[in-house]
Amino acid sequence: MTEPQSVPPGDPLTVLAALGARLDELVDAAGPARWNTDTPAAGWDVAMQIAHLTWTDEVSVLAITDPEAFATVVEVANADVSGFVDAGADEIASAGRDEVLARWRRARGELADALAAVDPGDKLPWFGPPMRPGSMIAARIMETWAHGVDVADGLGIVTGDDPAFVAALPQVAKLGFKTRAFAYMMNGLEAPTSEVHVALTTPGGAVLEFGSAGADQRVSGPILDFCLLVTQRTHLADTGLQASGDDAAEWLRIAQAFAG
């Protein structure tokens, strides 16, 4: 298996590219025999995980380069809100391992080029409200990291100290923090007006902070645990996260950085 290489600090596009390439290496090294290995996500094997990333990368390219065609995708999605994601991944996965991997590599490259070329101030259409390119990059990092963790877990690979996965943690954590109000909305709750200060310890021992340092509501703990929690890859009880204040504790119970 290819050894992970250090990922130099860089802009989010660099982080996204390195993360996708590293996950690609892990899947490729696992070989055809592991392509249909189950992952922690019920009903999703390695093939479905990679097919889903492929589908999302492709529609992201479409949103940037052909908004009218993307609007048609949204219409189809709205007709089957609960099933269109699985259906899209299942259709791609049915093509077979070699075709899916080739399609994913092509989609990653096209998305990187499209995101690099678009004006950072533009608003890109999406399934919800339009988003800036920076937000799309952050979302792609978060999703690639989360599904990558699923794939690695299914293959019995530890990513906690893998440089490409570690480099993505600040981006995932930042998105997790910014989606606090979104998590309440997704759970049919009204978000509190209180501020929360988040202090997360990185694998290297540094502390990454979000929010007002003077906030009464506080969250602290390992950045990996926080990222796993906001992407719903672990249970709060299985983390080392600590909450001070009722609002902070409630947020951790419902945290999620993505729709669904």
Side-chain angles (χ1 to χ4, degrees), residues 18 52 59 65 68 91 109 151 164 201 207 211 232 254 260:
H52 174 70
V59 296
T65 62
E68 290 186 4
E91 180 181 357
V151 169
T201 306
V207 177
Q232 298 193 330
I254 63 171

Side-chain angles (χ1 to χ4, degrees), residues 2 77 100 138 160 208 217 229 249:
T2 305
V100 173
L208 186 65
Q217 305 293 318
L229 183 72

Side-chain angles (χ1 to χ4, degrees), residues 245-259:
D246 291 343
D247 290 348
E250 182 182 43
W251 173 37
L252 291 188
R253 286 194 294 270
I254 63 171
Q256 67 180 86
F258 58 90

